[in-house]
Amino acid sequence: MDFLAEARWSPYLVGIGIGILSWLTFLISQKPLACSTTFAKSSGMIERALRGKKVADKPYYKEIKLDIDWQFMLVIGIIIGALVSALLSGDFKLQWVPSLWATTFGGAILPRFIGALVGGIFIGFGARWADGCTSGHGISGTMQLAVSSWISAICFFIGGIITAQIIF
Amino acid sequence: MSKSNTKKNSQLIWGLIFGIIFGFLLQKGGVTKYDVIVGQLLLVDQTVLIIMLSAVLTGMIGIHAFKAFGLVKLAPKSGSIGQNVFGGLIFGIGFALLGYCPGTIAGAIGNGYLDALTGGLAGIMIGAGLFAALYPQLRPKILKVGNFGDLTLPRLFKVNDWVVVIPVALLIFLLLLFLR
């Protein structure tokens, strides 16, 4: 079982694994791999806890429903699976500033925190606007040959590549 | 417990199991790391694209075969130009700044990355909350512009699924060879 302790697997094998995983999610759960709605539900549930039940009446939250569902558990599972994988290979590391960020913006925590916060706001807002993310549109939607997903996935990368070229 | 509740609970457990496998694979693939994702956007590291294309190639052939045998029902998302182009570009800006997406940030948290756990996670939830607040205005003005519903490529070209699946599979295969 040494392969479980390796830090990296071939990206081709990982991709094939994710492809087979998506067969299973369709066969067993009738659902595609997708993540971003969970963050909108979490946001709504936190707001509901702070500001009361009326939050759930917002039209968007009525549409997506503020509950713990299959996809919510999937996202919890991702945290656990990545943790187990990182621990098995000794790749687990508490780290505030990624090295590529540090080469351009320095190793201080606060600028990275702000960068992640602002980037997160764009991601959260954009994923809801496009109705999907890199997994829901980028992998699950494109394999279903959905027009919405091919357009979204291409735009994720156009926006990302242009922004990365500007900031680095 | 009623039968439907039992079924719902077993699906929650399946969700958790699938998530654990997904997170394990993402971490082994290296895409829980900011450097790998931003490296892709800077076009110096092709890992993200190789993983996504291999997954789409494998997944696409499988699910269309299952569909042909009536084993699965696909659920392509509806969309519109206003929704997918603008939403996609906004997402892309965040993709480069944050360096994680909603799936890989969960993996990054498991990997121990504190920028993901703090600023990144808070930001995504703030962004989603902002969208929920603006949704009643955005929906009629932008989200429905150029609406095409849950169209798929085979239905767009009015052909059998495999007339699209086979050429797309070949194209992805060639692209993967090129990225080696």
Side-chain angles (χ1 to χ4, degrees):
Chain A
M1 301 291 268
D2 285 348
F3 67 99
L4 293 176
E6 278 171 30
R8 291 284 281 271
W9 288 354
S10 147
Y12 297 92
L13 283 180
V14 168
I16 292 168
I18 293 171
I20 293 172
L21 183 64
S22 67
W23 300 352
L24 298 177
T25 66
F26 271 109
L27 285 169
I28 295 173
S29 300
Q30 295 85 47
K31 285 190 195 314
L33 289 171
C35 297
S36 60
T37 312
T38 297
F39 295 84
K41 288 189 185 214
S42 308
S43 176
M45 284 190 268
I46 291 171
E47 195 186 339
R48 183 175 62 187
L50 297 173
R51 295 183 49 214
K53 279 192 176 138
K54 63 177 192 300
V55 169
D57 292 334
K58 287 189 188 179
Y60 191 66
Y61 292 142
K62 276 188 159 169
E63 243 176 63
I64 63 169
K65 293 192 185 73
L66 298 182
D67 61 355
I68 306 283
D69 63 353
W70 182 89
Q71 190 198 99
F72 204 102
M73 298 304 288
L74 184 88
V75 174
I76 305 274
I78 294 174
I79 301 176
I80 299 169
L83 174 68
V84 171
S85 167
L87 288 174
L88 282 174
S89 64
D91 193 35
F92 181 85
K93 184 167 78 169
L94 291 176
Q95 174 192 282
W96 274 103
V97 184
S99 51
L100 183 58
W101 172 280
T103 55
T104 304
F105 301 104
I109 292 174
L110 189 64
R112 174 57 193 149
F113 175 85
I114 294 169
L117 184 73
V118 173
I121 293 172
F122 276 98
I123 287 254
F125 195 80
R128 291 301 81 216
W129 187 316
D131 189 28
C133 61
T134 336
S135 52
H137 272 316
I139 295 177
S140 304
T142 52
M143 76 168 66
Q144 295 180 71
L145 300 171
V147 172
S148 61
S149 299
W150 279 94
I151 297 175
S152 299
I154 290 167
C155 290
F156 294 162
F157 281 95
I158 294 176
I161 289 168
I162 293 173
T163 309
Q165 302 293 340
I166 293 170
I167 62 175
F168 282 99
Chain B
M1 216 183 324
S2 76
K3 205 174 169 188
S4 73
N5 258 340
T6 316
K7 198 179 162 209
K8 191 168 178 251
N9 285 334
S10 80
Q11 277 308 325
L12 291 180
I13 293 167
W14 276 116
L16 186 69
I17 293 168
F18 291 140
I20 292 172
I21 300 170
F22 194 20
F24 196 93
L25 288 169
L26 291 172
Q27 207 281 332
K28 287 282 179 249
V31 287
T32 55
K33 298 178 193 309
Y34 174 95
D35 292 3
V36 174
I37 293 180
V38 175
Q40 176 68 66
L41 298 176
L42 291 170
L43 306 174
V44 295
D45 181 335
Q46 308 296 346
T47 307
V48 175
L49 212 51
I50 292 172
I51 290 178
M52 287 181 73
L53 291 172
S54 308
V56 172
L57 177 62
T58 311
M60 176 177 66
I61 295 171
I63 62 171
H64 282 92
F66 297 142
K67 185 189 164 200
F69 288 106
L71 294 171
V72 299
K73 217 175 143 238
L74 300 188
K77 289 185 183 192
S78 317
S80 69
I81 299 297
Q83 201 176 353
N84 303 121
V85 174
F86 292 107
L89 292 173
I90 294 169
F91 182 97
I93 296 169
F95 202 15
L97 276 172
L98 176 57
Y100 311 109
C101 52
T104 52
I105 197 172
I109 291 169
N111 213 144
Y113 301 143
L114 300 168
D115 54 336
L117 176 66
T118 59
L121 187 60
I124 294 183
M125 291 203 275
I126 292 168
L130 276 175
F131 180 83
L134 294 173
Y135 181 65
Q137 285 86 46
L138 282 173
R139 185 164 63 168
K141 282 183 195 144
I142 299 171
L143 300 180
K144 289 288 166 199
V145 174
N147 184 41
F148 45 74
D150 62 351
L151 189 64
T152 60
L153 295 174
R155 273 194 280 130
L156 173 67
F157 301 124
K158 298 186 174 64
V159 292
N160 179 282
D161 286 350
W162 296 97
V163 176
V164 180
V165 170
I166 293 167
V168 170
L170 280 172
L171 230 103
I172 292 177
F173 188 75
L174 288 175
L175 202 55
L176 282 169
L177 283 181
F178 172 76
L179 288 172
R180 264 174 84 106

